[in-house]
Amino acid sequence: GAGVSQSPRYKVAKRGQDVALRCDPISGHVSLFWYQQALGQGPEFLTYFQNEAQLDKSGLPSDRFFAERPEGSVSTLKIQRTQQEDSAVYLCASSLRAGLGSRDTQYFGPGTRLTVL
Amino acid sequence: DQQVKQNSPSLSVQEGRISILNCDYTNSMFDYFLWYKKYPAEGPTFLISISSIKDKNEDGRFTVFLNKSAKHLSLHIVPSQPGDSAVYFCAASARNYGQNFVFGPGTRLSVLP
């Protein structure tokens, strides 16, 4: 069955460039999460969508980070004016139900490895 | 300030023996805990979970133990197999603390044949 997919799998950007990372969640999943995983660390929460509504963006590290999910399915994480500290793996996860994300199994995509030079 | 800690970055175990991975947490609001397994170049995959109303949950070779008073949980794998070699993340959540999981830094398990 189709799981969560992410593209591109690898992205190299020069400092100052804008990047866009795509997530295709499992069909029918209401909840969608973005996490950032630095080398040697666990995933850290960035933002949460319930359908098209961004209900929590408390983990976004700066206003250079922007996420959207306009039709309640595919989501895009955009990073403007990338900096070296943005280098990390960006993971997307989805879960079936709404409002129970903290109790519902989250299914992760393979991630996008972003390297900022 | 890490709310979920996994103090052993790595662990090596002989095939067939028991693997014990440990996790400590500091936030007393956490009431649901999970273990995820991650292979290289793949996303984390769910392994097992436990609610704070229980102190043990078992699924095949995997058992998670929760000690609420010590704010400690552990994952036991018996018997360990080479295919269990992966990074294991402990994660926690709280019903009134947002929808996301809070992850530990992970422990790399190597099961030696």
Side-chain angles (χ1 to χ4, degrees), chain A residues 9 35 42 45 101-103 106 109, chain B residues 31 36 41 43 93 99-101 104:
Chain A
R9 292 294 311 276
Y35 291 86
F45 170 73
S102 64
R103 293 293 182 274
Q106 293 182 21
Chain B
D31 59 359
Y36 273 79
S93 69
Q99 298 293 313
N100 58 290
F101 298 149

Side-chain angles (χ1 to χ4, degrees), chain B residues 24-112:
Chain B
D24 297 284
Y25 61 97
T26 57
N27 191 336
S28 57
M29 291 177 64
F30 289 147
D31 59 359
Y32 188 69
F33 305 89
L34 311 92
W35 286 92
Y36 273 79
K37 179 169 76 171
K38 185 181 183 304
Y39 293 119
E42 295 184 12
T45 55
F46 171 75
L47 198 55
I48 192 168
S49 63
I50 188 167
S51 165
S52 61
I53 62 173
K54 295 184 172 181
D55 55 18
K56 176 183 174 181
N57 190 25
E58 193 171 352
D59 184 2
R61 297 186 297 115
F62 303 91
T63 303
V64 56
F65 295 91
L66 175 62
N67 182 334
K68 288 187 292 293
S69 60
K71 294 193 178 67
H72 176 84
L73 64 156
S74 60
L75 174 68
H76 293 209
I77 306 174
V78 181
S80 301
Q81 300 173 354
D84 296 330
S85 297
V87 177
Y88 289 78
F89 293 101
C90 173
S93 69
R95 190 174 295 278
N96 297 316
Y97 194 69
Q99 298 293 313
N100 58 290
F101 298 149
V102 179
F103 284 85
T107 296
R108 181 178 300 278
L109 173 65
S110 299
V111 180
L112 310 173

